[in-house]
Amino acid sequence: MATVKMKGISIGFLVVVLIAHFAFLKAEIYIVTLEEDPVVSYRGGVNGFEATASETDEKIDVTSEAVISYARHLEKRHDMLLGLLFKGGTYTKLYSYRHLINGFAVHTSPEQVEILRRAPGVKSVERDWKVKRLTTHTPEFLGLPTEVWPTGGGHDKAGEDIVIGFVDSGIFPSHPSFAAHDSERYGPVPKYTGKCEVDPATKKSFCNGKIIGAQHFAKAAIAAGAFNPSVDHASPLDGDGHGSHTASIAAGNNGVPVRMHRYEFGKASGMAPRARIAVYKALYPLFGGFVADVMAAIDHAVQDGVDIINLSVGPNSPPAATKTTFLNPFDAALLSAVKAGIFVAQAAGNGGPFPKTVLSYSPWITSVAAAIDDRRYKNHFFLGNGKVLAGIGLSPATHFNRSYTLVSANDALLDTSVTRFSPSDCQRPEVLNRKLVEGKILLCGYSFNFVVGSASIKRVSETAKSLGAAGFVLAVESVTPGTKFDPVPSSIPGIVVTDVSKSLDLIDYYNVSTPRDWTGRVKSFEAKGHIGNGLKATLHKSAPQVALFSARGPNIKDYSFRDADLLKPDILAPGALIWGAWSPSGTDEPNYAGEAFAMISGTSMAAPHIAGIAALIKQKHPTWSPAAIKSALMTTTTTINRAGVPLQAQQYTGSSEEMTLVPATPFDYGSGHVDPRAALDPGLIFDAGYSDYLGFLCTTPGINPHEIRNFTKSPCNFTMGHPSNLNSPSIAISHLVRTRTVTRTVTNVAEEETYKISARMGPSIAIEVNPPAMTLLPGASRKFSVSLTVRSVTGSYTFGQVVLKGSRGHKVSIPVVAMGFKR
């Protein structure tokens, strides 16, 4: 009986364990915000704790006793709330958010979350969701070495002691772009208090002076079961490549040789090569990231004292708790970051060229679109019949004045049974006959496997090389809209023929020149060809152009996609074919697996250009607000390309898959393409702060004032009247009826100067400015008004510009967009 009883106890215990286990399996991650103020907005009132909020939107001293003690108080309150509501072991607190928002991330069951929702002091509970990842030549293209760096003491002083925080996939610390031993010694930066984690494998710190902070955030990913330590690395080490790339664009060392396959493609440099790098790893190779981890990374960046945050990340989908784009958790947290005096650059998104694809919405964020600069890489394949096929491929040429026999991978199979391996992809050398391929050009086919990443051009090159081929050609026989073809470095001659019609010409020539017997077996290979030199870049005056993939406006104010009275994107910067540092273990781009550098495209590459240039402005003007820096960047841009004609944007032709160039608009480029030299001396700035952004939210139609108070802990201020009156360096009116007059205030940041104000607009809307001229003393501010009147209703936006020309040579421009409606 005793044995039976023991079995009964064991079974009962097992049932309890299983119930607990299944309850845990049901658990999810939730972000909980509480009523009390976070550090950035706490103005006192809690007994024993001094106020921590700044009255002037300046950076908070995160090392002060007041900040440290109040932050500790908030964390204790989080722990107390959870401890009072739930038994230990039924939940896991992942993070306490104390500086930008007051709340925490918790891994618990849906049943316990309902108890949390009803608890006193709980403001909101939202289930976590995922986020996604949204340069040798660009410093010269932007004029940094000759026109910008010399004004601050040269490249070895450019960005000195400015700390840029990168919320990304980590960093490869031993890369030469981040080395500290080849430059003047880096001293301490007292304002920065961030931690440096130690590499678990080498036991060495990730920091070296250049890299001043390095932390990783993965508690939400681990709790969700998405984290794989062997691939994702439980450290700031970059297992993806993306984070190293963005950091090197903004702040990588100057003059780092970009060498691949025995060829040097130039010397790399960041925009601010002396700036410090603070790493906040929250993105991972296999799954992207979780909002709870990204929020923790941003919160720590502010707490640690960074000057600038670069954010090349955006949400996978709209949040559930708010329909307002400006109040999604990213933007709400970044509003607090800006309140703390931190400039934020964010990638606009890669959903172009379609309208309303911008994923960076708010006026306190600088949203960056991607441009193609003047450098192009092209190559050619010369057929034996005299035809020349254009293509791409960063590779050497085949032997001069010699043609080579073409052999298709499908005709070089060792065994026809291997067709299940898609042999035409040329990914597996073991299925091909070396005797047939050696000394010849291997003809391969571009399939869907290349689109999804299971095949790569790098692997084609390796296959051809291992078989002793003289080179390879990859023919693209079909393509889906949006497919990007970037040139890929190769150690042997190689080319991708991206034009479908040209690829068909190649295949037709090969078939005609390759006699076969009645079974289809090749009798002899008679097709000939040779590959040109694709290593040298050519410079084009048509640059810059808006890249096809770059996200477009109009901006939206809610997830019903209603237009906002705010222009996005804000600015255009280089973002196509950008060379940058890479992690040898990086998986983000299969074509650069195992390499030290990569040339990739995306608004993720454009944003760190702006972050680095903002560091140069911050260095020269240390007291400027984030809005002032943003204004300097936006009002000094250009909308003219190097050939002297208006900017163009890549776009699809009607319903076809052909890419063409069309006249670009502010919905493509915002204010225009960045001009770093002019941005350092803008003449005038349009300044704004936390209260102004609050007024923008409160006057935006459709936003519930209670929701605004819920997120900001501040009552609504309606004195702005209309969101288009926000003092931003752009004007957008999505629903113009009759006449609307908006006001702007400019502040002189140079010597006394007289400005003449002019305006132009498309014919369907009239525009007037008042006064026509004004004189400003140093530091003085003046208002001017812009009146827009509907002349005719066209059903589309009309574009224009307001220009302030100064007597000392300054030129300040702001874009205007409006859509007219009937009375």
Side-chain angles (χ1 to χ4, degrees):
M1 291 296 291
T3 304
V4 173
K5 188 175 181 183
M6 286 298 292
K7 283 183 178 178
I9 293 171
S10 298
I11 291 168
F13 176 73
L14 180 62
V15 169
V16 171
V17 170
L18 284 172
I19 290 170
H21 177 68
F22 287 126
F24 182 76
L25 286 178
K26 284 174 61 183
E28 295 189 77
I29 301 162
Y30 297 87
I31 298 172
V32 182
T33 54
L34 305 178
E35 294 286 352
E36 278 188 275
D37 285 317
V39 167
V40 293
S41 55
Y42 172 60
R43 290 184 168 80
V46 179
N47 191 32
F49 297 97
E50 296 178 23
T52 55
S54 168
E55 297 299 325
T56 58
D57 290 353
E58 291 181 356
K59 286 190 71 173
I60 292 171
D61 180 6
V62 295
T63 63
S64 70
E65 182 58 36
V67 168
I68 293 169
S69 61
Y70 184 67
R72 195 178 296 132
H73 157 76
L74 292 179
E75 186 161 2
K76 286 180 179 177
R77 297 276 290 180
H78 303 163
D79 296 336
M80 186 184 302
L81 175 65
L82 288 166
L84 287 171
L85 291 176
F86 310 125
K87 290 182 180 180
T90 63
Y91 67 91
T92 303
K93 190 190 79 170
L94 305 176
Y95 299 107
S96 274
Y97 307 122
R98 304 164 300 171
H99 293 81
L100 303 181
I101 63 171
N102 173 25
F104 52 85
V106 63
H107 187 234
T108 190
S109 68
E111 292 79 12
Q112 295 203 142
V113 159
E114 291 309 309
I115 297 172
L116 255 179
R117 288 187 200 279
R118 296 191 296 270
V122 172
K123 193 161 60 171
S124 68
V125 179
E126 183 164 353
R127 192 173 65 177
D128 195 9
W129 75 104
K130 287 185 178 180
V131 297
K132 59 185 176 184
R133 290 176 298 276
L134 287 166
T135 144
T136 52
H137 179 63
T138 48
E140 286 76 15
F141 179 68
L142 296 171
L144 295 176
T146 56
E147 299 177 351
V148 176
W149 292 342
T151 66
H155 68 79
D156 53 350
K157 298 292 183 185
E160 185 77 69
D161 290 344
I162 302 298
V163 181
I164 307 177
F166 296 89
V167 179
D168 215 298
S169 66
I171 199 161
F172 185 64
S174 58
H175 196 283
S177 289
F178 314 125
H181 53 78
D182 291 333
S183 58
E184 182 184 338
R185 185 178 177 275
Y186 286 96
V189 181
K191 67 184 178 185
Y192 184 77
T193 60
K195 294 190 304 183
C196 279
E197 291 184 23
V198 173
D199 189 330
T202 65
K203 308 303 179 187
K204 291 182 179 179
S205 171
F206 275 87
C207 297
N208 60 3
K210 173 69 173 177
I211 302 172
I212 198 172
Q215 302 170 61
H216 83 287
F217 302 84
K219 291 179 181 177
I222 292 169
F227 190 86
N228 181 347
S230 63
V231 177
D232 297 315
H233 304 294
S235 76
L237 183 65
D238 186 4
D240 182 277
H242 193 271
S244 300
H245 201 274
T246 56
S248 69
I249 293 170
N253 290 328
N254 181 62
V256 178
V258 179
R259 293 193 185 101
M260 290 182 69
H261 309 305
R262 304 185 305 277
Y263 185 81
E264 185 175 305
F265 289 95
K267 289 183 167 56
S269 175
M271 303 297 103
R274 189 68 180 173
R276 310 298 183 93
I277 294 169
V279 178
Y280 298 88
K281 177 179 171 180
L283 301 181
Y284 296 88
L286 298 180
F287 56 87
F290 288 83
V291 169
D293 291 329
V294 174
M295 294 277 287
I298 295 171
D299 193 65
H300 273 74
V302 174
Q303 173 188 339
D304 295 342
V306 303
D307 297 297
I308 292 163
I309 290 177
N310 181 80
L311 201 60
S312 294
V313 59
N316 271 355
S317 56
T322 177
K323 293 181 179 178
T324 304
T325 53
F326 311 124
L327 294 177
N328 76 74
F330 273 128
D331 291 48
L334 293 171
L335 173 58
S336 296
V338 169
K339 189 178 193 303
I342 296 167
F343 176 88
V344 179
Q346 185 179 27
N350 296 332
F354 309 106
K356 296 189 180 183
T357 49
V358 168
L359 295 175
S360 178
Y361 310 104
S362 298
W364 47 88
I365 299 167
T366 302
S367 310
V368 190
I372 296 170
D373 65 27
D374 60 346
R375 182 185 57 194
R376 306 282 195 279
Y377 289 102
K378 286 189 177 180
N379 204 349
H380 294 88
F381 187 52
F382 301 85
L383 294 180
N385 63 2
K387 284 192 175 182
V388 180
L389 310 181
I392 55 174
L394 289 174
S395 78
T398 49
H399 193 275
F400 186 65
N401 278 345
R402 180 181 167 189
S403 286
Y404 293 80
T405 302
L406 270 65
V407 175
S408 168
N410 285 333
D411 290 328
L413 300 181
L414 287 169
D415 183 346
T416 55
S417 66
V418 300
T419 53
R420 67 183 184 277
F421 295 125
S422 301
S424 64
D425 287 356
C426 298
Q427 302 295 294
R428 299 169 67 99
E430 66 272 17
V431 305
L432 301 177
N433 189 332
R434 180 183 177 92
K435 290 180 180 179
L436 289 178
V437 175
E438 190 170 14
K440 302 177 180 66
I441 292 177
L442 181 62
L443 175 58
C444 309
Y446 187 93
S447 69
F448 187 67
N449 293 334
F450 289 87
V451 178
V452 298
S454 59
S456 70
I457 299 169
K458 178 183 176 70
R459 188 63 181 152
V460 175
S461 174
E462 291 171 347
T463 295
K465 186 175 182 179
S466 70
L467 294 170
F472 68 88
V473 57
L474 191 60
V476 179
E477 297 177 69
S478 63
V479 66
T480 54
T483 302
K484 287 199 320 235
F485 293 102
D486 291 345
V488 175
S490 170
S491 61
I492 67 169
I495 186 170
V496 183
V497 180
T498 58
D499 187 305
V500 172
S501 65
K502 302 296 183 187
S503 290
L504 294 177
D505 286 345
L506 167 60
I507 293 164
D508 287 345
Y509 167 70
Y510 178 82
N511 287 334
V512 168
S513 306
T514 308
R516 303 172 187 271
D517 63 20
W518 66 275
T519 67
R521 190 184 301 272
V522 174
K523 292 181 179 180
S524 62
F525 295 98
E526 303 296 336
K528 305 286 185 182
H530 67 275
I531 300 167
N533 184 356
L535 290 171
K536 291 185 178 179
T538 56
L539 302 182
H540 288 245
K541 286 189 175 180
S542 59
Q545 297 170 357
V546 182
L548 186 72
F549 59 81
S550 186
R552 309 298 211 260
N555 192 18
I556 57 171
K557 65 182 178 181
D558 56 38
Y559 293 105
S560 298
F561 286 85
R562 291 188 295 171
D563 291 11
D565 292 302
L566 178 74
L567 179 64
K568 289 287 176 174
D570 290 309
I571 196 166
L572 186 68
L577 304 183
I578 306 298
W579 280 110
W582 200 247
S583 174
S585 60
T587 59
D588 192 37
E589 290 286 340
N591 288 318
Y592 294 96
E595 304 291 354
F597 293 92
M599 183 175 65
I600 56 178
S601 303
T603 55
S604 287
M605 284 65 252
H609 279 88
I610 295 300
I613 296 166
L616 300 177
I617 299 173
K618 181 76 174 176
Q619 180 187 16
K620 185 175 180 180
H621 305 285
T623 62
W624 280 13
S625 69
I629 295 172
K630 178 181 178 180
S631 172
L633 287 162
M634 289 181 63
T635 60
T636 56
T637 56
T638 179
T639 57
I640 303 296
N641 70 17
R642 295 295 169 91
V645 299
L647 292 180
Q648 295 179 300
Q650 293 184 339
Q651 183 59 264
Y652 289 127
T653 306
S655 59
S656 78
E657 299 170 0
E658 292 293 315
M659 194 274 290
T660 188
L661 290 172
V662 299
T665 76
F667 289 149
D668 303 317
Y669 56 65
S671 59
H673 192 275
V674 65
D675 180 346
R677 181 197 60 77
L680 286 174
D681 180 24
L684 303 174
I685 57 168
F686 295 75
D687 211 352
Y690 183 79
S691 60
D692 300 296
Y693 298 133
L694 196 61
F696 168 84
L697 291 171
C698 294
T699 55
T700 294
I703 302 182
N704 188 328
H706 296 294
E707 188 179 12
I708 297 169
R709 187 181 180 92
N710 201 33
F711 274 89
T712 65
K713 291 291 292 178
S714 302
C716 253
N717 177 0
F718 297 99
T719 56
M720 187 175 288
H722 192 271
S724 59
N725 282 320
L726 174 69
N727 200 46
S728 66
S730 63
I731 296 172
I733 302 176
S734 62
H735 195 98
L736 177 64
V737 178
R738 301 189 186 92
T739 297
R740 181 177 295 280
T741 299
V742 301
T743 59
R744 290 293 184 270
T745 301
V746 290
T747 300
N748 186 11
V749 292
E751 297 178 15
E752 180 180 344
E753 195 164 4
T754 299
Y755 286 86
K756 292 182 178 179
I757 310 176
S758 61
R760 59 177 177 80
M761 200 77 183
S764 62
I765 292 177
I767 186 168
E768 292 183 8
V769 291
N770 187 51
M774 56 188 180
T775 300
L776 291 94
L777 296 172
S781 297
R782 289 283 302 273
K783 289 182 184 290
F784 69 93
S785 64
V786 180
S787 296
L788 300 170
T789 302
V790 178
R791 280 176 170 165
S792 59
V793 177
T794 63
S796 60
Y797 276 92
T798 300
F799 305 103
Q801 190 177 46
V802 174
V803 179
L804 296 87
K805 283 189 176 179
S807 55
R808 292 181 176 272
H810 289 109
K811 182 182 177 182
V812 179
S813 303
I814 63 171
V816 182
V817 302
M819 185 187 292
F821 288 82
K822 292 181 180 179
R823 298 181 180 182

